[in-house]
Amino acid sequence: MLMNDLWERCEREHYRQEESSWNRQARALYKRYIGPAIGRSKVVAVDYAAVSALHVSFRKRATQGNRVLAVLSKLLALAERWGLRPTGSNPCQHVKRYKEAHRRRYATAAEIAAIGESMQRRAETHPEAVAFLQLMIFTGARPTELLRAPLSILERLERHGQACGVLRIAQGKTGARDVFLPPQAMATLDLLPPKRNLLVGLAGVPRRMWASIQQEVGCPDLWVRDLRRTFASVALSSGTPLSVVGELLGHKSAQTTKIYGRLIEDRAHEASAATAGLLAGMLRS
């Protein structure tokens, strides 16, 4: 069996069991990097030299190289499980992973204010794109959670006389999870056309508009995803407990807080609204 044949079986029996962001990424990594490099090699012939050579080609892209190695390691592990390679023969386990530099970038108060002004100038011409960025700021959600969410999963609520909401996501990066929408986020959504299938009506990140905002604000190193980190930073600096922030962001390590049931959801709503209120003030300043 060739590696490309193994990948086809892997896609059928492993990666299509559930649709997740990692499964989509794994498919892309195989088709772009692994397949072209060793796809025509025999499964039993893939050794340390072949794997190491592929990994070394990513020495200037540490994170990407480690992801490629993870996909290949899983593929060869499945080959062992299916009796296509000897047990314990996976060469990936002997390849040292690259040390990754973790990003710590988040928007400053001045940058948030400038971003708010820049978005206001685009609100009429690009309402969906502006709504997406505002929801990123007000909720701390992952970009894919907002872009792929159908409007039908939005549950509208009222707390303390204000409209709020929850996105009940059945299958996300870490499984089922709730995205809490504070009043500021709901006000943003209510400005969009009511007849739409998706939450913000976009199929992808508005990269061209964000690039324009980056240039205006002078923050070329601030990514759209960093707005999620900005939400967490403001929440933590305002005194929100780490466990609640983890719940708001949908971190897997925060799943143990689910035992508090309704209590943690109430606190999450309050923390989400308080954080979005602070950010809304920055946007208007």
Side-chain angles (χ1 to χ4, degrees):
M1 178 179 284
L2 302 183
M3 288 295 293
N4 282 340
D5 300 322
L6 174 63
W7 172 253
E8 289 181 5
R9 179 176 176 181
C10 185
E11 270 203 300
R12 290 194 308 270
E13 300 183 23
H14 178 71
Y15 283 111
R16 284 183 180 162
Q17 292 176 359
E18 61 181 39
E19 190 62 25
S20 68
S21 59
W22 170 247
N23 286 5
R24 287 187 291 271
Q25 186 179 0
R27 294 190 194 104
L29 291 173
Y30 185 87
K31 292 175 182 177
R32 185 170 182 180
Y33 301 113
I34 302 173
I38 60 174
R40 294 183 178 275
S41 300
K42 293 183 179 180
V43 173
V44 294
V46 175
D47 56 10
Y48 176 85
V51 174
S52 180
L54 177 59
H55 193 238
V56 166
S57 69
F58 289 91
R59 58 186 176 276
K60 294 184 178 180
R61 293 177 291 167
T63 301
Q64 191 83 310
N66 289 343
R67 301 298 178 272
V68 167
L69 187 62
V71 174
L72 182 54
S73 180
K74 182 63 178 180
L75 189 58
L76 294 177
L78 288 172
E80 291 185 18
R81 184 186 304 173
W82 294 332
L84 303 174
R85 284 180 64 98
T87 302
S89 66
N90 189 342
C92 296
Q93 59 188 329
H94 302 297
V95 177
K96 186 177 180 181
R97 271 61 171 172
Y98 292 120
K99 185 177 181 180
E100 300 179 25
H102 297 286
R103 283 179 61 82
R104 297 183 181 275
R105 184 70 162 94
Y106 54 85
T108 64
E111 287 173 334
I112 294 174
I115 289 170
E117 293 177 1
S118 186
M119 287 194 298
Q120 285 179 358
R121 291 192 289 271
R122 294 169 169 80
E124 291 188 7
T125 56
H126 300 85
E128 292 85 1
V130 169
F132 166 74
L133 294 176
Q134 288 181 333
L135 287 180
M136 285 289 298
I137 293 173
F138 290 146
T139 68
R142 297 180 179 89
T144 52
E145 291 173 337
L146 298 176
L147 292 171
R148 297 191 181 121
L151 187 60
S152 58
I153 70 170
L154 171 60
E155 180 180 329
R156 291 180 175 270
L157 305 169
E158 183 175 322
R159 291 178 52 80
H160 309 300
Q162 290 185 302
C164 60
V166 184
L167 290 179
R168 307 290 187 184
I169 298 177
Q171 180 60 52
K173 183 177 180 179
T174 56
R177 91 109 160 171
D178 296 335
V179 174
F180 297 93
L181 303 177
Q184 295 83 356
M186 297 301 292
T188 294
L189 288 174
D190 288 340
L191 294 176
L192 295 177
K195 292 185 178 180
R196 62 187 192 279
N197 294 324
L198 297 176
L199 183 70
V200 293
L202 286 182
V205 174
R207 300 189 187 282
R208 184 173 298 179
M209 192 186 83
W210 179 249
S212 178
I213 292 176
Q214 285 177 305
Q215 186 175 5
E216 281 188 13
V217 176
C219 55
D221 62 332
L222 186 69
W223 301 349
V224 168
R225 191 177 179 84
D226 292 332
L227 299 177
R228 169 174 160 86
R229 191 175 292 108
T230 300
F231 177 91
S233 174
V234 173
L236 289 170
S237 64
S238 66
T240 304
L242 185 62
S243 60
V244 178
V245 174
E247 174 71 10
L248 294 176
L249 298 181
H251 285 165
K252 199 169 185 179
S253 59
Q255 293 303 304
T256 53
T257 58
K258 293 288 187 181
I259 61 175
Y260 295 102
R262 188 69 184 178
L263 174 61
I264 189 61
E265 181 164 331
D266 289 343
R267 292 182 66 190
H269 274 298
E270 293 167 4
S272 178
T275 301
L278 291 170
L279 289 163
M282 294 178 188
L283 290 173
R284 291 193 296 268
S285 63

